[in-house]
Amino acid sequence: MKKKVLTTTIATGLIAAGVLTTQNPASAKADTVPTGDNATSTNEVATQESDAKTIAQNNVNTAQTNLDKSKADTQNASDSLQQAKANETTAQKAVDEQTNKVADAQSNVDKAQADVTTAQNGLTAAQENAKNATETNIQAAKDNVATQEQNVATAQDQAKKANDGVAEQTNKVTDAQKAVNDAQKDTSAAQNNVNAAQKTVDDAKAAMDPANVQATVDAANKAEAQVNQDKQNVATAQNNLDNAKAADATRQTNIDNAQKAVNTAQANVDFSTKQAQEMKDQFNKYQGIKDAAQKEVDGLNDKLSNVNTITISDVEAYKKAFNDWYTGSKRGENWTEEDKNFLNDFMNSNTYKGNAADKNITVDINHLTADQIKELSLFSADLLNQVRNQLGLPKVIVTEGSLKLAKDVTDNYVSDNWDKFDHDVDGISRAAAENGLLSGGNFYEDAIFSSDFSEASTMDDLKSILYTGIVTMIGGSGDEMLHAAGLLGVDFGDDISTGKEQYFSAGTSMFPIKEDQMWITKMGHFFNVSKDYIRDSAKFSTTEVPGTSTEDLVTQLNTAKAKLASATDALNKAKDADTQAQQILAKNKVELTTTQDNLTKAQNVPVQTEIAQKALTDVQNKLAADTKINEDAQAKKEAALGDEAAKQKVLDQANANLATAQKALTDAQAKQKAAENNLSAEKAKLASLQQVSNEKTQDVKAAQVALDDAKNKLAALENAPLLVKAAEDKLAAAQKALDPVENVLVSEKAKLSALKQDLADAQADVTTAQKNYDEKLAIQTKAQTDLDNAKKVLQAIYDREALEAQIAAQEKAREEAEKKAAEEKAQAEKNGYHVDGNKVVDENGNQVSNWTVKNGQIIDNKGKVVSGLTINKAGAVVNKTGQQINSKNVVDNLQANKRTQAPVVQSKVAGKTYVSTVVVPEKAKANALPQTGEKESKTTLVGAILVGLGSLVGLFGLGRKKEY
């Protein structure tokens, strides 16, 4: 009955907790198992336990399956999220890179647009200049050049005069400086005379002293000897001065001659400079003409390099293949392998050149504009005429009528919803009738079909289709030459050399083919109208549509090359003349430098006269001074040798001479001051003249600038057509350069827009993937929780079974222990002293006096614990060695042990009503279910679950045995 109670309680608790989510008969039975004496049988309980375990295991399996699937879904969602994020990163990087490309493209467009603006301004200026390039204005410009040249000459003459005035005034300043220097010398000499006169006075006074007579005589003799020496020095200085004057005359002659040579060399340089400039201007003029011609040639070469061409490597071989197909009783029976190989090589060797600009032009293939039909027709006509020209056949002509026919036929294909690999003969006939042409059949159209899976088309796509159509039709595609005959204007069966001139045009259309399967087909149309097919000329215009063919480009190129050759020849001649002029100018400049060096050398020869004159003047002054000294000395000598009256006379004369010398010094100082004032005035005049000279020099420069400007204006007027052409070429080149960069910008912006959309899509994918991942992760989390709960339920069942097994084992062990204890107790009662309640009795059942049992210990009548004795599990009283005492050995045991006392601890002795075999540990944790036989409490999973459901001790009735 105990097992049924446990089963019912656990099942009920788990279902209440929401773990068992699947109701079934077994769980229902478990919910209704009674707990009283009338409970179901043990077999029913076992069946219920088995069903609950199966359900729990199934729940675990299902939860595990759900979790595994959820994990797979989550991993897939995670992979998708990571891929979406990677795609977003890639898309963002692409947008960033494309943004930079757009910025670069915009920069290129801005620069190209600026170049166009600059070129346009240049052309406007050149055109305005050309308007002004009349004979009157050119003559006026020439007159202005002459006037400016005269102004330059006048300014140069005035500058020369100003420079001459500066030179003249410089000489005056030099003379004034010399006068100042001379005055300073005179003042110095006068000061020396004053000093000498003063000395004479002093000497005269000294001569009055008789003790100085001999000294006076010696001084007089010395002064006389000095005068004689001074006279010799004056003669020598005079001779040196004469020589110096002769040397200076020679120097001046050399300077004059060198100056004349410089003037001549300068004139030569001026003339050759003018000549060299004229030759340089002429060279630049022809250089511009040659450059313009070269640009024209280069431009035509560029155009021709981008032109699609069709070349027949062997015209005769082609004619043979063409004619062989038509000969014989059956067309194509005489076509040899050689013919087929040649035509195959022809088709393989001619391939379409893609055009970058055309690739950026999108078109509506079913609704071409008039300009687009015109462009495609001229393109196809040029290709066809290349072939016709090689075969010696007349050209085709694109006319306004043929263009209208092309548009009408194309429109009919579209309106008829044509969807077959065949000609819309009815549509062609209607268009022919509407355009005044022979109708009733397909007399005009050749067509090529190009299957494609894209409805988007560019002008390059259409030209590719038309190019391929002409090549394949001319090359005998489909093992027949009927298309070739139609395009070449040859009647079927005629020799290929009998072609006709025809009106030609081309068009395109696009429609879905609906035979075996649906796919998009692009069709190229070619229309050849023979003149004899025109029925109503009023409806079919034969006015030729202008266009530039490859042949026209070749003709233009040949003309441009001839112009380039002529311009190159003229440029070479101008270059030779310029080289010669430059060589002459260089030679004259060298000669000018040489003459200038010679002039400098002549001018650097020192002037000798002034120095020699100064030396003569110095010795003459010294002679004069020494003569005066000598006269004074002689007078002193005479006076010294004379009487007192004579000496007094000498002193008086000396004083008079001193006064005269002092007056002469005052006069010399006055003259020096006047000379210095004059020098200042002359310097001021020189500064003023120098200012004028500088202004005149600036006037020369300004006149030269005006002359250069006049020459440039004259050159611009004379070369006005060339400058306009050059400006037009520059503008055309700038505009040509602008178109591709603008196309690139449009293309790059379109790419950026597409990439931004890709980025937006990628970001949306990330958002969607993130949401999906979050949802899958939530499902996985719930699945994990469900699995954990299912496992807990299953584990609880397993733990309950283990617990029941454990309880059964413990119950059995307890019964065996009780049996063994009873046997041991019976044996103990038989063998000696043992416990009976709180009394100690011997082997005969007699109570041992003075001993009682209290708290599992033997107490004597004094309340002391009997030392050395304990009570074992069987209730036997044993000594320290575990030997049970009896009536015989009790005295020995008591004497062998010392009596001691110990505190008595109250404890409850378990009775037979204690049913739990679970050993409660000393430090058991609250609400923990211990394991049998363990010394420490261990909380198990089942214990945790049961704690969560409530204390099962009360439910199970553990701790006290119940008898039913």
Side-chain angles (χ1 to χ4, degrees):
M1 193 62 191
K2 176 170 50 186
K3 188 177 293 185
K4 287 185 286 186
V5 173
L6 291 174
T7 302
T8 301
T9 305
I10 293 177
T12 303
L14 293 176
I15 292 172
V19 177
L20 294 177
T21 59
T22 303
Q23 290 289 344
N24 53 51
S27 62
K29 290 179 182 178
D31 288 338
T32 58
V33 172
T35 58
D37 294 335
N38 296 324
T40 58
S41 67
T42 303
N43 291 335
E44 290 176 339
V45 173
T47 300
Q48 293 171 0
E49 290 177 350
S50 176
D51 289 343
K53 183 176 180 182
T54 300
I55 292 170
Q57 184 62 60
N58 290 338
N59 287 342
V60 169
N61 295 341
T62 300
Q64 184 65 57
T65 300
N66 292 339
L67 177 59
D68 292 341
K69 181 179 181 303
S70 177
K71 284 184 176 180
D73 292 342
T74 301
Q75 184 60 50
N76 291 335
S78 176
D79 294 342
S80 298
L81 176 59
Q82 296 306 316
Q83 184 60 52
K85 288 183 177 180
N87 294 341
E88 179 187 18
T89 300
T90 301
Q92 184 65 60
K93 181 179 180 182
V95 167
D96 295 341
E97 292 176 351
Q98 190 62 30
T99 299
N100 293 333
K101 290 182 180 179
V102 169
D104 293 340
Q106 184 65 59
S107 177
N108 293 335
V109 168
D110 294 343
K111 182 179 181 302
Q113 185 61 61
D115 292 341
V116 169
T117 300
T118 301
Q120 183 63 61
N121 294 337
L123 176 58
T124 301
Q127 291 172 337
E128 186 65 26
N129 177 66
K131 292 179 182 178
N132 296 328
T134 63
E135 291 296 332
T136 300
N137 289 340
I138 291 176
Q139 185 58 50
K142 290 181 178 180
D143 294 341
N144 186 41
V145 169
T147 299
Q148 295 304 327
E149 287 177 340
Q150 183 59 45
N151 290 342
V152 170
T154 300
Q156 289 176 336
D157 182 61
Q158 291 177 352
K160 184 176 182 306
K161 289 180 180 179
N163 290 335
D164 291 343
V166 170
E168 181 179 355
Q169 186 60 31
T170 299
N171 291 334
K172 289 182 180 181
V173 170
T174 300
D175 293 341
Q177 183 65 57
K178 183 175 180 300
V180 169
N181 295 339
D182 291 342
Q184 288 175 341
K185 293 176 182 177
D186 291 342
T187 299
S188 178
Q191 183 64 58
N192 291 336
N193 290 337
V194 169
N195 295 338
Q198 182 63 54
K199 187 174 184 304
T200 300
V201 169
D202 295 339
D203 291 343
K205 289 180 180 180
M208 300 291 289
D209 187 353
N212 296 327
V213 172
Q214 185 58 49
T216 301
V217 172
D218 293 338
N221 293 337
K222 182 179 179 182
E224 184 177 6
Q226 184 61 50
V227 167
N228 293 332
Q229 181 62 47
D230 289 344
K231 289 179 179 180
Q232 293 179 2
N233 293 340
V234 167
T236 300
Q238 184 61 57
N239 184 60
N240 292 339
L241 176 61
D242 294 340
N243 293 333
K245 288 180 178 181
D248 287 348
T250 300
R251 172 182 177 276
Q252 189 59 50
T253 299
N254 293 336
I255 290 175
D256 294 341
N257 293 335
Q259 185 63 60
K260 290 179 181 179
V262 168
N263 295 340
T264 300
Q266 184 64 58
N268 292 337
V269 168
D270 292 342
F271 177 78
S272 57
T273 297
K274 182 178 179 181
Q275 288 293 103
Q277 185 59 49
E278 291 177 354
M279 293 302 100
K280 176 62 71 178
D281 292 342
Q282 187 178 29
F283 172 74
N284 291 336
K285 172 184 175 181
Y286 286 109
Q287 181 68 57
I289 295 174
K290 189 260 183 184
D291 290 343
Q294 184 67 58
K295 286 182 179 179
E296 185 176 3
V297 170
D298 293 341
L300 290 169
N301 278 327
D302 288 342
K303 290 180 180 179
L304 283 170
S305 66
N306 292 322
V307 167
N308 283 278
T309 58
I310 300 177
T311 304
I312 300 176
S313 61
D314 188 337
V315 172
E316 295 305 320
Y318 180 82
K319 290 181 177 180
K320 175 181 178 301
F322 184 91
N323 291 326
D324 286 349
W325 191 82
Y326 284 103
T327 60
S329 60
K330 183 179 180 182
R331 288 173 179 171
E333 67 180 356
N334 291 335
W335 218 352
T336 65
E337 288 300 319
E338 181 182 5
D339 293 335
K340 295 180 180 178
N341 291 335
F342 173 78
L343 293 175
N344 187 57
D345 290 340
F346 165 77
M347 287 188 288
N348 290 333
S349 61
N350 288 286
T351 56
Y352 174 73
K353 296 179 182 177
N355 186 293
D358 287 341
K359 289 179 180 178
N360 291 323
I361 301 175
T362 57
V363 296
D364 182 351
I365 190 171
N366 284 337
H367 302 90
L368 297 179
T369 66
D371 287 339
Q372 289 170 343
I373 292 177
K374 174 183 174 182
E375 181 178 351
L376 295 174
S377 296
L378 290 172
F379 169 79
S380 302
D382 179 53
L383 294 173
L384 188 54
N385 282 333
Q386 292 178 37
V387 177
R388 286 189 170 217
N389 183 55
Q390 294 173 73
L391 296 173
L393 299 175
K395 296 181 179 179
V396 295
I397 302 172
V398 177
T399 67
E400 293 179 358
S402 66
L403 292 180
K404 185 175 182 301
L405 175 64
K407 185 176 188 307
D408 290 346
V409 172
T410 299
D411 290 345
N412 287 344
Y413 268 87
V414 176
S415 63
D416 293 346
N417 293 317
W418 198 250
D419 59 359
K420 301 179 180 64
F421 268 125
D422 198 357
H423 298 282
D424 182 5
V425 177
D426 181 64
I428 296 170
S429 296
R430 295 201 313 272
E434 291 171 0
N435 286 275
L437 302 175
L438 174 66
S439 61
N442 178 21
F443 307 120
Y444 310 98
E445 184 195 53
D446 289 286
I448 180 173
F449 298 84
S450 175
S451 296
D452 199 345
F453 291 98
S454 172
E455 297 185 12
S457 296
T458 67
M459 185 62 72
D460 186 66
D461 293 332
L462 303 190
K463 288 183 178 180
S464 175
I465 293 172
L466 296 176
Y467 179 93
T468 304
I470 292 177
V471 171
T472 55
M473 290 177 181
I474 296 297
S477 63
D479 293 336
E480 54 99 343
M481 299 296 284
L482 294 176
H483 286 290
L487 289 176
L488 297 177
V490 180
D491 288 337
F492 297 151
D494 287 353
D495 186 271
I496 192 172
S497 61
T498 61
K500 301 176 183 178
E501 181 184 85
Q502 295 172 315
Y503 304 123
F504 178 81
S505 59
T508 62
S509 62
M510 179 171 66
F511 46 86
I513 294 299
K514 301 178 180 177
E515 293 180 351
D516 297 332
Q517 56 182 331
M518 173 75 74
W519 71 86
I520 300 301
T521 295
K522 297 177 182 177
M523 184 176 182
H525 308 266
F526 305 97
F527 305 96
N528 281 292
V529 179
S530 298
K531 294 180 180 179
D532 53 359
Y533 281 5
I534 300 176
R535 295 292 180 264
D536 186 351
S537 60
K539 293 183 178 180
F540 187 85
S541 174
T542 57
T543 302
E544 184 174 356
V545 176
T548 302
S549 66
T550 302
E551 185 178 359
D552 294 334
L553 290 176
V554 171
T555 300
Q556 292 175 15
L557 177 61
N558 291 333
T559 301
K561 286 182 177 178
K563 288 170 58 179
L564 176 60
S566 176
T568 302
D569 181 63
L571 177 63
N572 291 334
K573 292 178 180 179
K575 183 178 181 181
D576 292 339
D578 177 55
T579 300
Q580 292 178 1
Q582 295 297 332
Q583 290 174 346
I584 293 173
L585 175 59
K587 176 177 176 296
N588 289 338
K589 285 184 177 180
V590 171
E591 291 180 357
L592 175 60
T593 301
T594 301
T595 57
Q596 288 173 336
D597 290 343
N598 292 337
L599 175 60
T600 300
K601 290 178 181 178
Q603 291 172 336
N604 288 336
V605 173
V607 178
Q608 301 180 34
T609 298
E610 184 178 355
I611 297 175
Q613 181 63 58
K614 181 178 182 303
L616 175 60
T617 299
D618 290 343
V619 295
Q620 286 176 338
N621 290 337
K622 191 172 188 307
L623 173 60
D626 289 344
T627 297
K628 184 63 177 174
I629 293 173
N630 181 51
E631 290 174 352
D632 292 342
Q634 295 302 324
K636 291 178 182 179
K637 175 181 176 183
E638 182 179 353
L641 296 175
D643 55 16
E644 290 300 322
K647 293 180 180 180
Q648 185 60 50
K649 182 180 178 179
V650 170
L651 177 58
D652 294 339
Q653 185 60 46
N655 287 325
N657 292 341
L658 176 59
T660 301
Q662 289 174 335
K663 183 177 183 307
L665 175 60
T666 301
D667 293 341
Q669 289 174 336
K671 288 181 179 180
Q672 178 181 344
K673 181 63 175 176
E676 290 175 345
N677 292 338
N678 181 60
L679 175 61
S680 298
E682 296 297 343
K683 284 183 176 181
K685 290 180 181 179
L686 176 60
S688 177
L689 292 173
Q690 187 66 56
Q691 178 64 31
V692 173
S693 176
N694 293 338
E695 293 174 354
K696 296 302 180 183
T697 300
Q698 293 300 320
D699 291 343
V700 171
K701 293 181 180 179
Q704 186 63 52
V705 171
L707 175 58
D708 294 339
D709 182 62
K711 286 182 177 180
N712 292 334
K713 290 180 179 178
L714 175 59
L717 292 174
E718 290 178 335
N719 298 307
L722 179 63
L723 293 176
V724 171
K725 182 64 172 62
E728 289 174 342
D729 291 343
K730 186 174 182 179
L731 177 58
Q735 289 174 334
K736 181 179 179 182
L738 176 60
D739 291 340
V741 296
E742 283 183 333
N743 291 336
V744 169
L745 177 59
V746 171
S747 175
E748 297 298 347
K749 284 185 175 179
K751 292 178 182 177
L752 177 58
S753 179
L755 290 174
K756 284 184 176 180
Q757 183 58 50
D758 291 344
L759 175 58
D761 293 343
Q763 291 171 336
D765 290 343
V766 169
T767 301
T768 301
Q770 184 67 57
K771 181 180 179 182
N772 182 53
Y773 172 74
D774 293 341
E775 291 173 351
K776 298 300 182 185
L777 184 59
I779 292 173
Q780 178 184 335
T781 302
K782 183 179 182 302
Q784 183 66 58
T785 301
D786 290 345
L787 177 61
D788 292 342
N789 290 335
K791 285 183 175 181
K792 289 177 181 178
V793 171
L794 181 60
Q795 186 62 46
I797 293 174
Y798 281 120
D799 289 344
R800 186 200 64 212
E801 291 179 346
L803 177 60
E804 290 176 344
Q806 180 182 1
I807 291 174
Q810 290 177 343
E811 183 67 18
K812 182 179 180 181
R814 184 185 64 77
E815 292 174 352
E816 292 178 353
E818 288 179 348
K819 180 179 180 182
K820 182 180 180 180
E823 292 175 352
E824 290 178 349
K825 182 178 180 182
Q827 187 65 35
E829 291 176 350
K830 178 181 179 181
N831 292 337
Y833 284 16
H834 58 275
V835 175
D836 183 7
N838 62 349
K839 297 182 294 184
V840 178
V841 296
D842 60 14
E843 60 271 21
N844 296 316
N846 298 320
Q847 182 177 355
V848 178
S849 60
N850 300 325
W851 282 3
T852 60
V853 178
K854 189 177 184 179
N855 295 330
Q857 292 178 311
I858 300 173
I859 306 301
D860 60 16
N861 56 358
K862 293 183 179 180
K864 303 295 183 180
V865 176
V866 178
S867 178
L869 298 180
T870 58
I871 303 171
N872 65 10
K873 293 188 295 181
V877 178
V878 297
N879 59 18
K880 289 183 177 180
T881 62
Q883 180 183 5
Q884 185 176 7
I885 64 174
N886 50 40
S887 299
K888 296 179 180 181
N889 59 20
V890 64
V891 177
D892 296 334
N893 279 283
L894 290 175
Q895 290 178 348
N897 293 283
K898 186 178 180 179
R899 293 171 66 101
T900 60
Q901 292 183 351
V904 177
V905 179
Q906 294 293 327
S907 65
K908 185 177 181 179
V909 180
K912 293 183 179 181
T913 58
Y914 185 78
V915 300
S916 175
T917 59
V918 178
V919 178
V920 179
E922 295 177 359
K923 297 181 180 180
K925 296 181 180 178
N927 297 326
L929 184 62
Q931 296 295 313
T932 301
E934 292 186 359
K935 294 183 178 179
E936 295 182 0
S937 174
K938 293 184 179 180
T939 303
T940 64
L941 177 59
V942 66
I945 294 174
L946 297 179
V947 168
L949 297 175
S951 176
L952 294 182
V953 175
L955 292 175
F956 290 175
L958 298 183
R960 190 169 298 276
K961 183 177 179 180
K962 295 181 180 180
E963 301 292 343
Y964 297 99

